[in-house]
């Protein structure tokens, strides 16, 4: 595996030496509480969507209205959202890097509200598919900008936790969707599926109402040479309003120098993504992470849990709905727990633990499913229920907890919007592929039924090898120290020297002021 550049973590060290917890800092506490409705809720839409499609398939009124969809028709009803996301992705950096993170979130949220309204009032399958295309088009605008803004606003000590919690919000949306659909399925009309479909706009409404109460990314402001505004954001939230803070000045110097070096070597175009060995490796990792986040067996559970339960003999819709809600609740607990523990473990350790655990679970699940279906074993069927549940902590250790944390870390500022867009592109393509292929593969009549799980076992083994080979360690460093992770040491050391110069200048200035005051007193 290619080595990575190591630098002296000055700003990170200064942040770690700060013993005052975030909840005792008024400004930082306000910022973190505002992040939840403004940005954390973005991923709620993803979770809501996966469970809307999963749960409405269990609602007879939805199935009757759309003609009992199966095979390819059933697949496109689910996969229209990732297809819409792929269409919108190439334009995200234009908005994100020119108008700012907040306006990009605003744009994506408005588009999703429009799509949700059309989905809730759809009169036929074509209108339902178009509505999901529109939701999919808007979603990545909010995700790319929101995940970037969280990482760029957070205090270095809590950044990894906050970016990990971003993905945990997926399960909040999933639980609300599952519970809402379970509650409305008793309504004897089409409103049994229209109500939860309309509820999908709820997170986006929050973002539209509140996102402008957040500050803009200081890194974006510095890239536009709005230095005073950027420094005000840094000292307001990272130094509790103290403009003379040594930490805020050091952070400003590091960000300003790093972005200047990045811009010097960047044309701010898509060609930047492949113009050096380091950037090509970033693109490979981001692309693979997108594919792995959707094709590690999770789409089978998220979108087609009903089909899986039917295969192993659990066909009661009421049981399926309750089991699905329980699975999402477990996912939320696991996601939040791993997010809060992310600072205590190395990134590679968590990713590798996750993927090898997923592999072991899928192998055990495949064997149990074979026994349940071929031999008719009731015990093996119940064991399948256990493996589906235990999949949640395994997946969350790596993919849910670390995905956006890792993306924000491996892609420097000048590439971040494009890098996360590439991740989204490959992730949505994989999701589109999976949502169309899974129902066909799992079909016991036209597909291969439980044997389809064997395909996943082989692919997850390939994922484990690629992750072991390519993934670098990124923990315990600031975003600026990670900006030149794969580049030569000269660029990496330039930012470190700028921080040291700023710190030494402040110390010297402080000593001169103290000396001047002492001399003045002596003269008196």
């Amino acid at each position: 595996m290619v080595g990575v550049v190591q630098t002296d973590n000055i700003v990170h060290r200064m942040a770690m030496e700060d013993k005052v917890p975030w909840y005792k800092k008024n400004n930082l506490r306000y910022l973190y509480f505002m992040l939840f409705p403004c940005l954390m809720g973005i991923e709620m839409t993803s979770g809501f969507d996966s469970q809307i499609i999963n749960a409405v398939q269990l609602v007879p009124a939805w199935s009757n209205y759309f003609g009992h969809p199966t095979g390819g028709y059933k697949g496109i009803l689910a996969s229209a959202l990732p297809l819409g996301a792929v269409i919108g992705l190439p334009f995200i950096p234009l908005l994100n890097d020119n108008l700012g993170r907040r306006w990009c979130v605003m744009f994506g949220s408005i588009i999703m509200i429009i799509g949700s309204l059309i989905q809730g009032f759809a009169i036929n399958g074509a209108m339902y598919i178009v509505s999901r295309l529109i939701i999919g088009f808007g979603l990545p605008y909010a995700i790319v900008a929101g995940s970037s803004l969280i990482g760029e606003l957070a205090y270095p000590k809590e950044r990894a936790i906050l970016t990990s919690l971003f993905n945990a919000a997926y399960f909040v949306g999933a639980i609300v969707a599952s519970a809402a659909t379970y509650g409305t399925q008793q309504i004897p009309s089409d409103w049994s599926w229209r109500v939860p479909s309309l509820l999908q706009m709820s997170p986006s409404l929050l973002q539209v109402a509140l996102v402008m109460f957040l500050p803009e990314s200081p890194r974006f402001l510095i890239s536009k040479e709005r230095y005073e505004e950027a420094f005000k954001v840094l000292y307001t939230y990272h130094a509790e309003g103290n403009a003379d803070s040594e930490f805020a000045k050091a952070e400003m110097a590091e960000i300003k120098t790093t972005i200047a070096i990045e811009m010097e070597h960047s044309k701010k175009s898509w060609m930047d993504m492949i113009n050096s060995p380091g950037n090509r490796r970033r693109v490979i990792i981001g692309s693979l992470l997108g594919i792995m986040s959707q094709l590690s067996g999770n789409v089978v559970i998220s979108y087609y849990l009903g089909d899986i339960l039917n295969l192993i003999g659990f066909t009661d819709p009421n049981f399926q709905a309750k089991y699905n809600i329980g699975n999402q609740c477990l996912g939320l607990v696991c996601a939040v727990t791993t997010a809060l523990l992310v600072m205590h473990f190395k990134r590679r350790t968590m990713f590798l633990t996750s993927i090898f655990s997923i592999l072991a679970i899928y192998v055990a699940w495949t064997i149990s499913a074979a026994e349940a279906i071929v031999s008719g074993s009731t015990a093996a069927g119940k064991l399948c229920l256990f493996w589906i549940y235990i999949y949640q902590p395994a997946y969350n250790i790596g993919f849910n907890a670390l995905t956006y944390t890792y993306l924000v870390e491996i892609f420097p500022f000048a590439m971040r919007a494009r890098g996360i867009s590439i991740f989204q592109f490959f992730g949505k393509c994989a999701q589109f592929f999976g949502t169309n292929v899974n129902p066909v593969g799992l079909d016991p009549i036209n597909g291969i039924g439980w044997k389809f799980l064997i395909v996943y076992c082989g692919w997850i083994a390939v994922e484990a090898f690629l992750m072991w080979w390519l993934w670098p360690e990124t923990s315990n460093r600031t975003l600026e120290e990670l900006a030149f992770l794969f580049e030569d040491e000269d660029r990496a050391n330039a930012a470190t020297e700028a921080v040291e110069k700023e710190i030494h200048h402040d110390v010297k200035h402080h000593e001169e002021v103290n000396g001047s005051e002492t001399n003045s007193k002596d003269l008196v």
Side-chain angles (χ1 to χ4, degrees):
M1 186 173 69
V2 180
V4 296
V5 174
Q6 299 283 343
T7 59
D8 185 21
N9 304 336
I10 298 172
V11 173
H12 177 79
R13 189 168 63 245
M14 293 173 72
M16 291 299 128
E17 289 171 355
D18 179 6
K19 301 302 180 184
V20 182
W22 64 269
Y23 52 83
K24 291 186 178 180
K25 300 177 181 180
N26 291 336
N27 293 351
L28 193 61
R29 186 172 64 241
Y30 165 81
L31 175 66
Y32 287 175
F33 280 131
M34 285 299 291
L35 286 178
F36 278 85
C38 295
L39 300 179
M40 297 293 183
I42 293 169
E43 269 297 308
M44 286 174 61
T45 304
S46 296
F48 206 106
D49 182 77
S50 71
Q51 290 312 300
I52 277 290
I53 289 299
N54 204 355
V56 294
Q57 292 178 53
L58 308 176
V59 178
W62 182 89
S63 184
N64 292 333
Y65 194 87
F66 293 108
H68 301 280
T70 58
Y73 179 38
K74 187 177 185 179
I76 195 63
L77 286 170
S79 63
L81 186 139
L83 179 60
V86 169
I87 295 169
L89 283 168
F91 311 106
I92 293 175
L94 295 174
L95 189 60
N96 199 35
D97 291 340
N98 288 296
L99 295 183
R101 311 315 198 198
R102 296 182 304 172
W103 280 109
C104 195
V105 171
M106 177 71 80
F107 175 79
S109 299
I110 291 172
I111 295 295
M112 286 189 282
I113 290 170
I114 294 170
S116 298
L117 286 169
I118 297 172
Q119 179 178 251
F121 294 106
I123 59 173
N124 53 42
M127 188 173 175
Y128 192 82
I129 291 167
V130 169
S131 72
R132 294 180 51 70
L133 283 168
I134 294 170
I135 296 171
F137 184 90
L139 181 59
Y141 283 84
I143 288 178
V144 171
S147 58
S148 297
L149 187 55
I150 290 171
E152 292 167 4
L153 283 176
Y155 192 62
K157 190 160 66 170
E158 290 95 27
R159 188 196 74 244
I161 295 173
L162 289 170
T163 49
S164 296
L165 284 172
F166 177 74
N167 234 8
Y170 171 97
F171 290 102
V172 177
I175 291 167
V176 172
S178 301
T181 310
Y182 178 70
T184 61
Q185 68 179 350
Q186 304 303 322
I187 298 174
S189 70
D190 295 336
W191 287 104
S192 59
W193 62 267
R194 291 188 189 276
V195 169
S197 296
L198 289 169
L199 285 175
Q200 189 163 351
M201 76 173 96
S202 302
S204 300
L205 289 171
L206 278 176
Q207 288 137 33
V208 168
L210 299 173
V211 72
M212 288 303 169
F213 288 97
L214 281 177
E216 184 53 87
S217 162
R219 289 162 177 85
F220 169 77
L221 295 171
I222 288 172
S223 73
K224 299 302 179 184
E225 299 183 357
R226 293 158 62 180
Y227 301 123
E228 291 184 6
E229 293 176 63
F231 185 56
K232 185 177 181 180
V233 173
L234 290 174
Y235 75 70
T236 298
Y237 296 102
H238 292 187
E240 289 301 293
N242 180 12
D244 296 321
S245 164
E246 185 178 288
F247 176 79
K249 290 181 178 179
E251 195 175 22
M252 180 73 180
E254 183 186 49
I255 296 171
K256 190 175 178 181
T257 304
T258 303
I259 289 178
I261 297 170
E262 285 184 46
M263 295 304 182
E264 186 180 319
H265 294 85
S266 172
K267 296 178 181 178
K268 296 192 74 175
S269 73
W270 286 100
M271 290 305 296
D272 288 341
M273 309 306 293
I274 56 171
N275 66 1
S276 71
N279 287 350
R280 288 192 288 273
R281 183 173 172 188
R282 288 184 176 98
V283 168
I284 290 171
I285 293 171
S287 304
L288 286 173
L289 189 54
I291 294 170
M292 292 176 186
S293 68
Q294 298 298 327
L295 292 183
S296 295
N298 51 310
V299 171
V300 173
I301 298 171
S302 297
Y303 284 84
Y304 299 108
L305 182 59
D307 292 348
I308 289 291
L309 295 177
N310 287 333
L311 277 176
I312 56 177
F314 296 94
T315 57
D316 179 22
N318 195 46
F319 170 80
Q320 291 182 354
K322 291 178 179 178
Y323 181 81
N324 185 37
I325 294 171
N327 192 36
Q328 301 312 317
C329 290
L330 175 63
L332 177 62
V333 171
C334 294
V336 172
T337 302
T338 51
L340 296 176
L341 294 174
V342 74
M343 293 296 290
H344 300 284
F345 301 95
K346 291 187 175 182
R347 309 286 191 259
R348 271 180 60 86
T349 301
M350 292 182 71
F351 268 123
L352 292 174
T353 300
S354 175
I355 196 65
F356 280 107
S357 298
I358 288 172
L359 178 59
I361 289 165
Y362 246 84
V363 170
W365 179 13
T366 303
I367 295 170
S368 300
E371 283 294 310
I373 296 165
V374 177
S375 304
S377 170
T378 304
K382 291 179 179 178
L383 195 55
C384 287
L385 299 180
F386 169 76
W387 294 125
I388 293 170
Y389 262 37
I390 207 69
Y391 179 91
Q392 287 287 14
Y395 184 85
N396 277 283
I397 289 169
F399 292 106
N400 200 287
L402 292 181
T403 295
Y404 289 102
T405 300
Y406 205 62
L407 289 167
V408 169
E409 289 174 345
I410 65 169
F411 287 107
F413 173 82
M415 299 174 61
R416 192 161 293 140
R418 289 178 176 82
I420 299 177
S421 295
I422 286 172
F423 159 80
Q424 283 284 317
F425 174 81
F426 280 92
K428 296 306 180 186
C429 284
Q431 186 182 355
F432 179 81
F433 174 81
T435 48
N436 280 284
V437 171
N438 286 331
V440 177
L442 290 169
D443 191 324
I445 299 173
N446 300 313
I448 55 176
W450 68 267
K451 295 176 184 176
F452 189 66
L453 299 177
I454 299 173
V455 177
Y456 270 107
C457 292
W459 169 243
I460 293 167
V462 173
E463 289 183 346
F465 170 75
L466 291 172
M467 195 173 282
W468 169 82
W469 184 38
L470 290 170
W471 266 225
E473 184 54 59
T474 60
S475 58
N476 297 320
R477 281 181 269 182
T478 66
L479 296 182
E480 280 59 49
E481 287 159 345
L482 289 164
F484 311 113
L485 187 65
F486 305 122
E487 277 71 31
D488 58 85
E489 292 189 23
D490 291 340
R491 293 194 209 175
N493 290 333
T496 303
E497 290 170 5
V499 177
E500 289 177 338
K501 184 178 179 181
E502 181 67 37
I503 293 171
H504 294 155
H505 171 76
D506 284 349
V507 171
K508 185 177 179 181
H509 176 70
H510 183 69
E511 290 173 347
E512 287 175 353
V513 170
N514 287 344
S516 176
E517 290 176 352
T518 302
N519 291 336
S520 297
K521 290 178 182 178
D522 291 341
L523 288 172
V524 172

